[in-house]
Amino acid sequence: MYLTCSNSHQMVASQYMIEQAKTILKDVFGYEEFRALQQEIIENVFRRKDTLVIMPTGGGKSLCYQIPALLFKGLTVVVSPLISLMEDQVQQLTALGIEALVLNSTLSYDAYQNNIARLMRNEVRLLYLAPETLLMQKTLAMLSSQQIDCFTIDEAHCISEWGHDFRPEYRQLIEVRKRFPQAVCMALTATATPRVQEDIRQSLCFEASDNFIASFNRKNLFLQIVQKTHPVEQTLEFLQKFPNQSGIIYCLARRQVDELSEVLTNAGFSVKPYHAGLSDHERQQNQMRFIRDDVQIMVATIAFGMGINKPNIRFILHYDLPKNIESYYQQIGRAGRDGLPAHCLLLFSYGDIQKVKYFINQKDEHEQRIATFHLNTLVGLAETDECRRIPLLSYFGEHYSVSKCGMCDNCTEEAQALVDVTIPAQKFLSCVKRTDEIFGAGHVIDVLRGSQAQKVIKNHHHALSTYGIGKEYSKKQWFYLSRQFIQKGLLDQDMEFGSLKLTPKAWEVMRGNQTVFAKLTVSQEKHTEYEETEHAFDSTLFELLRQRRKKLADDANLPPYAIFPDKTLIEMATYFPQSQEHMLRLHGVGLVKYEKYGNLFLELLCDYCQKHQLEDQPKRTTVPVVTSKPKTLTKPRHIVVGDKNNAGSTLTELREEFNVKLSTILDHLYKYHTEGYSLRHSHEFLELSTLSPERRIAASKAFDQFGTERLKPIFDALKEQVNYHDLHLFRLYYLTKPGTS
Ligand code: ADP
Ligand code: ZN
């Protein structure tokens, strides 16, 4: 109907629509505000423009089609690849009083007929289907008698052969789409790869302008990477911080999953295992228990996580190294979908790298190169001393311009002073030399600390002049130092065997021509502050509310989050609402939910508050103004670096002066440039890169075409043949080359 309106009519209609969408947001879903891009997307869909939505997991994609579905007169058809996801959605929508249903082949005859009858009576707003079901003749025939206003393709990356989850049936959706030309089409995915995005657009004939790409920064995830020293103890210690909360522990191997779940069960934690070696039944049971909060912790291989929508996962622990940054991001992305803080800890060890390396070596040469590249970027993320979001987001081609996120270990640990460790470095390096550069750090440290280990004696290393000259540091400290020596380019580590070799730079240090600065103390895992500040609520009351929710959920055969999300309970335990009016102000409390469950919670609240003499503290509905932090008086690092570059310092000099990696200097310079300062052209931008002349031409063209903001499109355009380090260098060359304004 909006297509036939005049322009001014359209404007009025569109404003009216926005108002209605906001009312639905509050009254039905119980949410105060739209999240980033949601409103724009809804408006676009409502203008009947095909829309591609790229948002990270937890970004709030579902609302983008669910709200239009409530505004459209006709039906919204949603195609989704996983039955469990569809059923979860329908349960949640039903709990909100929205008419939604799933049609699939596992329904009984009666249930199926009943659903069709509801559809025919126009009672249904959203119909969820697997592509196979949609493509069946009888489904298509049935739909042809319906007015379909919106055709939604969820998990749209399944359409692309470049994606990680290609489904051939998805390819045929374009035909279905043509059958319903009046329906606006929406495609949604959390896949960040531009190649896949392009594929979706092309397959569905979308216009380029109707893309909505949200940032992939998940602000509420606290990122931490520590060295794996005593994994079991580290795990136990970590879990202490999350009593009664849900989380996932990822392990590489099934055996590890079984062992660790046994250890944790014996230690009194509520744990279930999940891996492909268990029977279907057992896997389903364990997953269900987790979703329903009957079990708190899943110890799992990567087989776990697809198709679960649980919003209140509070931690992800990577017991082993993930395969690459993409899987790391996907796995941590399962935490904190509800927007509350969640903690992601990765235990990182060079031993694990060797395991991965071993698997890589089984592959063919081309695959090996790609896998090695992925591994190295992951190691880069682990070793960085900058904000972890910088390398993480840059992997997805996103430039993270805040220099401290405040939500990763590197940003919250007090900056540790660098101390002069030239002498210990000399000791370590000469010990590497004297043991013939064929051993890993562990053995070198044993020799330095005068260990009686068999390996030392057998190799006659107790007779070396470096034997026992390093007793002043603990084993842990030496390990920490040795990693920094590698990072600083004094040592090369053989990826396969872990053995250490001296670099030319090491010789400079041993000859006394160069000093070495490093950190001495190993960073401690610690409680982050947000945990204490964000959770200033009555925890006894919260527990009681949780128990009530659990009972209601079990009675209704629903997961607890379908009754109310955790955030709602936290708000109840913060504001002590004791009336309908105040209850309706809370996050997640819409009219239907209030009618269904409001009184049951009010009862409990009134009782508790009376007993403890707690007063209702009505939640203010306007968003409080955040007072800005005092500005720091020192110049930001990127400005200092940029100014020095302009004053003539070379990249190598800058690197040494600031004692950081070249990539860090490049990031500073790029940031300097993006903030509008002009940057001196340096011949090193080309010299330090390994680009051949042909590749330079290709890279220039790609930058001409895709712009310089994101590197991922360039990386893809160059067929993944040029590494990011070179791209960072070349981008600076491109931006500053003589003749460019
Ligand atoms: P995605 O599909 O992108 O992974 P979901 O649609 O499942 O994300 O949304 C994640 C969570 O955020 C859900 O619990 C959802 O109800 C909630 N949510 C979505 N939009 C909003 C909003 N505007 N305000 C508050 N919560 C929201
Ligand atoms: Zn950070």
Side-chain angles (χ1 to χ4, degrees):
M1 90 184 138
Y2 286 88
L3 287 177
T4 56
C5 292
S6 71
N7 269 350
S8 65
H9 251 103
Q10 245 181 8
M11 287 254 290
V12 175
S14 136
Q15 262 164 18
Y16 176 64
M17 186 282 300
I18 296 168
E19 288 312 313
Q20 273 190 315
K22 283 185 176 159
T23 312
I24 292 178
L25 181 71
K26 181 62 205 154
D27 287 356
V28 178
F29 292 92
Y31 299 147
E32 215 61 54
E33 296 180 310
F34 281 114
R35 289 207 187 135
L37 296 183
Q38 283 178 329
Q39 182 173 325
E40 293 86 329
I41 292 165
I42 292 171
E43 280 178 47
N44 204 56
V45 174
F46 214 69
R47 281 194 215 109
R48 305 250 172 191
K49 297 180 79 180
D50 293 339
T51 306
L52 174 62
V53 177
I54 317 275
M55 269 189 195
T57 309
K61 287 186 282 298
S62 321
L63 223 64
C64 298
Y65 63 83
Q66 288 167 349
I67 289 189
L70 299 184
L71 288 164
F72 282 131
K73 258 173 81 184
L75 181 68
T76 291
V77 172
V78 186
V79 181
S80 169
L82 285 173
I83 292 183
S84 63
L85 276 185
M86 294 192 274
E87 284 174 346
D88 183 80
Q89 290 279 350
V90 168
Q91 270 181 350
Q92 295 200 52
L93 290 170
T94 309
L96 291 165
I98 299 169
E99 300 282 347
L101 56 81
V102 190
L103 278 188
N104 72 45
S105 47
T106 62
L107 290 175
S108 70
Y109 179 80
D110 283 350
Y112 189 87
Q113 290 306 327
N114 186 31
N115 281 345
I116 298 285
R118 278 176 65 197
L119 271 168
M120 291 303 168
R121 287 197 301 270
N122 281 333
E123 286 175 7
V124 177
R125 312 295 334 126
L126 292 118
L127 169 64
Y128 285 80
L129 295 163
E132 306 80 64
T133 318
L134 175 63
L135 293 165
M136 282 158 61
Q137 275 314 317
K138 69 171 177 183
T139 316
L140 290 170
M142 185 269 299
L143 288 178
S144 62
S145 68
Q146 299 286 307
Q147 179 186 336
I148 298 175
D149 275 334
C150 180
F151 186 51
T152 298
I153 302 175
D154 203 5
E155 313 287 346
H157 54 270
C158 296
I159 224 167
S160 168
E161 282 169 299
W162 293 107
H164 49 81
D165 202 16
F166 174 56
R167 306 272 178 128
E169 318 83 56
Y170 258 70
R171 281 271 175 211
Q172 298 173 45
L173 293 177
I174 183 73
E175 294 309 316
V176 180
R177 206 217 145 176
K178 285 184 192 151
R179 281 181 172 234
F180 304 99
Q182 78 291 354
V184 59
C185 187
M186 259 184 114
L188 305 100
T189 176
T191 302
T193 354
R195 183 184 274 167
V196 175
Q197 294 169 9
E198 188 47 41
D199 223 12
I200 299 173
R201 271 193 294 272
Q202 280 184 3
S203 315
L204 295 170
C205 310
F206 280 9
E207 283 175 26
S209 58
D210 294 330
N211 298 327
F212 293 84
I213 304 182
S215 163
F216 275 72
N217 182 20
R218 297 277 315 276
K219 291 192 185 125
N220 58 323
L221 302 185
F222 185 87
L223 310 181
Q224 183 181 27
I225 304 181
V226 303
Q227 241 207 319
K228 180 165 163 180
T229 47
H230 307 84
V232 173
E233 287 80 4
Q234 287 174 300
T235 302
L236 291 170
E237 200 184 329
F238 180 70
L239 294 180
Q240 305 290 353
K241 300 179 195 168
F242 305 95
N244 289 326
Q245 295 187 331
S246 298
I248 310 174
I249 303 179
Y250 279 111
C251 303
L252 206 60
R254 295 175 193 180
R255 197 173 43 89
Q256 183 65 265
V257 168
D258 289 333
E259 280 173 18
L260 187 62
S261 20
E262 201 181 316
V263 170
L264 296 180
T265 308
N266 291 339
F269 290 96
S270 159
V271 179
K272 286 284 171 212
Y274 190 104
H275 57 66
L278 301 174
S279 70
D280 280 356
H281 176 73
E282 205 172 345
R283 277 207 310 268
Q284 268 171 19
Q285 280 294 314
N286 291 354
Q287 171 163 331
M288 176 77 97
R289 288 187 188 136
F290 179 65
I291 286 172
R292 304 222 156 160
D293 287 344
D294 292 324
V295 162
Q296 304 299 342
I297 302 165
M298 274 311 227
V299 183
T301 58
I302 53 166
F304 182 70
M306 260 287 268
I308 69 158
N309 228 339
K310 189 173 164 58
N312 58 341
I313 295 176
R314 293 274 73 85
F315 64 88
I316 304 284
L317 170 61
H318 278 97
Y319 196 84
D320 293 309
L321 200 64
K323 209 170 72 193
N324 51 43
I325 290 201
E326 218 148 339
S327 9
Y328 171 71
Y329 182 82
Q330 197 183 37
Q331 285 147 14
I332 61 170
R334 298 191 172 124
R337 276 169 171 240
D338 53 11
L340 294 172
H343 195 135
C344 310
L345 172 66
L346 190 161
L347 301 179
F348 176 81
S349 85
Y350 286 91
D352 284 353
I353 293 179
Q354 279 154 43
K355 278 187 228 159
V356 177
K357 205 56 196 173
Y358 174 80
F359 287 116
I360 292 178
N361 283 338
Q362 319 288 312
K363 302 180 178 205
D364 73 37
E365 201 186 326
H366 174 69
E367 285 181 341
Q368 271 189 24
R369 251 188 300 138
I370 297 177
T372 306
F373 163 77
H374 283 310
L375 180 65
N376 290 344
T377 41
L378 190 62
V379 174
L381 174 72
E383 288 190 330
T384 185
D385 44 19
E386 282 188 304
C387 174
R388 301 225 185 258
R389 284 180 159 71
I390 294 173
L392 183 62
L393 292 171
S394 106
Y395 179 81
F396 295 111
E398 200 175 315
H399 177 70
Y400 187 66
S401 52
V402 182
S403 60
K404 273 197 182 300
C405 72
M407 279 295 276
C408 77
D409 47 0
N410 287 347
C411 288
T412 48
E413 273 160 16
E414 314 87 72
Q416 271 188 50
L418 294 177
V419 289
D420 186 339
V421 292
T422 310
I423 292 179
Q426 286 168 336
K427 288 182 182 176
F428 193 94
L429 297 172
S430 34
C431 195
V432 169
K433 181 69 201 154
R434 290 193 195 277
T435 52
D436 299 323
E437 304 182 78
I438 51 172
F439 292 94
H443 183 73
V444 175
I445 292 169
D446 276 350
V447 176
L448 280 172
R449 294 187 25 85
S451 151
Q452 303 280 342
Q454 240 191 2
K455 196 169 163 190
V456 175
I457 309 295
K458 212 176 70 199
N459 285 293
H460 293 287
H461 288 162
H462 57 297
L464 295 177
S465 59
T466 52
Y467 183 74
I469 59 167
K471 290 183 179 154
E472 68 274 36
Y473 295 130
S474 69
K475 225 171 164 160
K476 205 168 169 183
Q477 275 174 319
W478 272 120
F479 265 114
Y480 189 54
L481 280 171
S482 72
R483 286 201 311 126
Q484 297 178 77
F485 297 154
I486 297 171
Q487 234 173 301
K488 290 177 193 302
L490 299 177
L491 291 165
D492 278 333
Q493 186 174 37
D494 182 289
M495 278 287 196
E496 197 173 343
F497 301 107
S499 56
L500 298 173
K501 292 199 170 32
L502 302 181
T503 64
K505 203 169 163 189
W507 284 102
E508 289 300 296
V509 173
M510 291 204 290
R511 291 193 191 107
N513 294 338
Q514 193 165 351
T515 46
V516 184
F517 285 86
K519 297 176 196 165
L520 258 185
T521 40
V522 182
S523 48
Q524 294 292 315
E525 279 169 50
K526 56 174 193 175
H527 247 297
T528 42
E529 265 177 37
Y530 74 85
E531 282 162 6
E532 281 102 45
T533 48
E534 285 256 346
H535 293 208
F537 56 84
D538 187 323
S539 53
T540 321
L541 175 56
F542 178 74
E543 253 333 290
L544 293 172
L545 292 164
R546 245 165 64 102
Q547 284 165 15
R548 173 140 312 182
R549 175 178 70 173
K550 177 73 179 125
K551 175 150 194 330
L552 288 171
D554 287 348
D555 290 349
N557 199 21
L558 286 175
Y561 59 79
I563 307 277
F564 280 129
D566 284 6
K567 189 161 178 192
T568 310
L569 304 193
I570 290 176
E571 291 200 353
M572 288 181 187
T574 307
Y575 301 111
F576 313 119
Q578 289 160 56
S579 66
Q580 171 175 358
E581 189 209 333
H582 289 170
M583 192 78 135
L584 280 171
R585 292 189 185 183
L586 303 190
H587 171 96
V589 188
L591 290 169
V592 173
K593 284 262 178 96
Y594 179 79
E595 245 166 54
K596 277 196 192 163
Y597 311 115
N599 274 331
L600 297 167
F601 285 90
L602 263 186
E603 233 172 55
L604 194 159
L605 282 161
C606 291
D607 255 16
Y608 184 88
C609 293
Q610 205 174 14
K611 229 183 261 161
H612 296 85
Q613 300 183 340
L614 295 166
E615 280 186 23
D616 196 329
Q617 320 257 335
K619 181 185 171 190
R620 277 178 306 182
T621 43
T622 45
V623 190
V625 186
V626 183
T627 47
S628 56
K629 285 189 186 147
K631 291 208 169 60
T632 46
L633 293 172
T634 49
K635 264 196 206 171
R637 180 60 69 90
H638 66 282
I639 303 283
V640 181
V641 173
D643 287 348
K644 289 213 169 192
N645 171 78
N646 287 355
S649 292
T650 65
L651 296 181
T652 323
E653 283 164 3
L654 290 171
R655 215 179 99 177
E656 272 161 17
E657 177 169 355
F658 292 96
N659 197 20
V660 290
K661 282 182 286 188
L662 179 59
S663 59
T664 311
I665 296 295
L666 299 179
D667 285 344
H668 286 318
L669 294 180
Y670 179 66
K671 189 165 180 219
Y672 187 80
H673 175 86
T674 54
E675 288 181 4
Y677 300 98
S678 71
L679 194 64
R680 180 181 71 91
H681 176 72
S682 157
H683 53 86
E684 284 177 301
F685 294 147
L686 269 193
E687 277 169 11
L688 293 174
S689 88
T690 59
L691 291 178
S692 64
E694 298 84 60
R695 290 258 162 81
R696 290 178 196 167
I697 295 169
S700 276
K701 281 199 183 134
F703 278 118
D704 287 343
Q705 186 181 353
F706 297 104
T708 50
E709 240 167 57
R710 289 156 47 96
L711 288 181
K712 193 85 210 293
I714 315 292
F715 179 70
D716 288 336
L718 299 175
K719 312 221 165 40
E720 308 188 353
Q721 302 283 320
V722 174
N723 64 41
Y724 273 94
H725 185 71
D726 281 349
L727 287 182
H728 278 286
L729 275 164
F730 193 77
R731 174 164 64 185
L732 288 169
Y733 165 78
Y734 177 87
L735 290 169
T736 58
K737 68 174 182 276
T740 323
S741 56

